């Protein structure tokens, strides 16, 4: 949600759970080059929404919005 991505956005997200810890890896890709921006983090189970917001905010801070806008043109 914080990325304002849609079903045509070049975004990949992978989540895993191990020993009560949720890990999230997310990447936003350029449609016109090999550029991508990635972020990852972990948190205790039950805090998935906060984890997703944190990773999304980190992607935006790294410049993911530019890649998402480019993909809409």
């Amino acid at each position: 949600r914080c990325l304002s991505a849609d079903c045509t956005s070049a975004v990949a997200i992978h989540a895993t759970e191990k020993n009560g810890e949720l890990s999230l890896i997310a990447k936003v890709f350029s449609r016109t080059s090999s550029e991508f921006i990635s972020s990852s983090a972990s948190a205790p189970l039950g805090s998935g929404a906060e984890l997703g917001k944190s990773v999304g905010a980190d992607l935006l801070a790294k410049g993911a919005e530019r890649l998402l806008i480019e993909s809409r043109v």
Side-chain angles (χ1 to χ4, degrees):
R1 290 182 187 169
C2 62
L3 293 179
S4 298
D6 61 27
C7 61
T8 64
S9 300
V11 176
I13 301 168
H14 180 73
T16 57
E17 181 275 326
K18 184 174 182 179
N19 299 326
E21 181 116 324
L22 183 63
S23 296
L24 182 66
I25 301 169
K27 296 182 181 183
V28 177
F29 297 88
S30 168
R31 289 184 181 239
T32 59
S33 71
S34 61
E35 181 183 7
F36 68 91
I37 296 169
S38 64
S39 180
S40 63
S42 298
L45 280 178
S47 57
E50 293 83 6
L51 179 61
K53 289 176 187 175
S54 174
V55 169
D58 186 50
L59 287 168
L60 290 173
K62 292 177 176 178
E65 184 175 20
R66 177 181 53 81
L67 297 181
L68 290 167
I69 289 170
E70 288 174 2
S71 72
R72 292 185 191 123
V73 176

